[in-house]
Amino acid sequence: MVKLKNCFQRREKKYKLSYEAYDSLVEKMNQYMQEDEYGLHTIISVYFDTEDFEMIRHSINKPVFKEKFRLRSYGIPNEHTNVYLEIKKKVKGVVYKRRVTVPYAQASEFFETRKNRFQFSSSKDTQIKQEIDWLVLRKKLEPKVMIAYDRRAFFYPQDEDFRVTFDFNIRYRTEALDITSGAEGERVAPEIDVLMEVKALGAYPLWFSEILGELKIYPSSFSKYAQTYQRYLFSKEEFCHVV
């Protein structure tokens, strides 16, 4: 079983794949990697930002330091389901992720009332929650968009820091952000069949690099939230400011 970490750092690269390239790659990867126990599963994230989308506009400019804040659920939650409150930072290409786990009902209440009622047994979780409080209150963050996708994830038994994920049907919505209502939405990038993310702390295993070279698969920049903002939210925001 693969345990989800609450704190980690790594480098992440994205690759846009056709279904044919995906099938060929998975066939070759199966000699080395194992699919995690979740199989094909749905990930739902609600991204928070300032009223004028300051965080994602800053991120799009490719600064040395950038951060995002989101609520993430693995599957459609009910009020008792544990979800993640997550700060994701990127510094000089290295991704740092810190998150705490809380029931969805408590997370929703926090963002509605800004009152902290979480209780953590771990001092590390308490510290992360304080960071979240500071970020949310300082920037007056509010829920902006839901992004969901269906994922298959693979891990390399000889190196737990090396993971490969495949995301399908990346979709978004800007209304009904209470995710207990489901994960439906419009496609973010209909031209992309599969988005692969390679997550590694160090260099790729040699066999994986050789497979990528053989199949002529090359990295490509793609941020789900940034693409959603640039394609569907930017023009609406400009219109609202003009009006």
Side-chain angles (χ1 to χ4, degrees):
M1 178 176 292
V2 177
K3 184 178 180 181
L4 295 172
K5 298 179 180 179
N6 281 354
C7 298
F8 54 82
Q9 68 181 69
R10 64 192 179 196
R11 294 185 179 273
E12 298 178 349
K13 285 189 178 180
K14 312 282 181 63
Y15 301 76
K16 301 172 186 177
L17 305 181
S18 65
Y19 287 125
E20 292 76 13
Y22 161 75
D23 287 337
S24 298
L25 178 57
V26 171
E27 182 179 2
K28 293 178 180 297
M29 277 175 42
N30 280 334
Q31 304 175 53
Y32 307 93
M33 303 189 76
Q34 299 177 23
E35 186 170 6
D36 69 19
E37 71 272 21
Y38 301 106
L40 183 66
H41 58 286
T42 299
I43 295 177
I44 312 170
S45 297
V46 176
Y47 284 82
F48 288 71
D49 213 322
T50 63
E51 183 180 4
D52 61 353
F53 293 93
E54 174 192 340
M55 294 179 74
I56 191 59
R57 288 191 290 107
H58 176 73
S59 177
I60 289 170
N61 290 328
K62 300 187 182 302
V64 173
F65 169 81
K66 56 186 178 181
E67 62 184 347
K68 297 174 184 175
F69 177 71
R70 63 195 179 196
L71 180 155
R72 171 162 286 192
S73 176
Y74 292 84
I76 299 170
N78 59 44
E79 62 179 8
H80 304 295
T81 303
N82 282 336
V83 296
Y84 294 94
L85 301 178
E86 183 174 280
I87 298 175
K88 184 177 182 180
K89 302 179 181 182
K90 192 171 186 180
V91 184
K92 296 182 179 179
V94 179
V95 174
Y96 300 85
K97 192 179 292 186
R98 293 166 67 78
R99 59 189 182 182
V100 293
T101 308
V102 297
Y104 182 72
Q106 290 186 26
S108 297
E109 182 181 9
F110 169 69
F111 291 111
E112 291 174 3
T113 67
R114 296 301 193 268
K115 293 181 180 179
N116 183 350
R117 299 183 181 178
F118 305 136
Q119 298 293 327
F120 298 112
S121 57
S122 165
S123 59
K124 180 177 290 187
D125 282 350
T126 300
Q127 179 185 356
I128 296 172
K129 179 56 177 60
Q130 289 172 347
E131 293 179 29
I132 290 171
D133 284 343
W134 185 81
L135 178 64
V136 170
L137 298 177
R138 175 176 61 90
K139 289 186 172 290
K140 299 180 180 179
L141 300 185
E142 57 189 52
K144 286 295 190 180
V145 62
M146 181 222 74
I147 296 177
Y149 44 91
D150 306 312
R151 168 170 285 184
R152 294 182 70 192
F154 292 77
F155 66 96
Y156 184 36
Q158 297 182 37
D159 181 0
E160 63 177 13
D161 292 316
F162 182 72
R163 290 174 56 82
V164 179
T165 61
F166 299 97
D167 297 338
F168 309 84
N169 189 24
I170 302 167
R171 51 207 186 267
Y172 82 100
R173 68 171 184 257
T174 57
E175 299 178 349
L177 297 183
D178 179 349
I179 55 178
T180 59
S181 61
E184 293 76 18
E186 299 297 322
R187 287 285 296 273
V188 172
E191 75 279 6
I192 297 177
D193 291 337
V194 185
L195 182 68
M196 177 173 72
E197 293 188 27
V198 181
K199 311 163 196 292
L201 188 56
Y204 291 178
L206 180 59
W207 58 263
F208 187 74
S209 297
E210 290 177 344
I211 291 174
L212 294 183
E214 179 184 346
L215 297 178
K216 295 180 172 58
I217 295 174
Y218 307 107
S220 177
S221 176
F222 188 92
S223 163
K224 299 181 181 75
Y225 182 26
Q227 286 291 316
T228 301
Y229 173 76
Q230 291 177 305
R231 295 186 185 210
Y232 308 106
L233 305 181
F234 175 73
S235 58
K236 292 181 181 179
E237 181 201 359
E238 290 295 298
F239 176 78
C240 289
H241 281 302
V242 171
V243 173

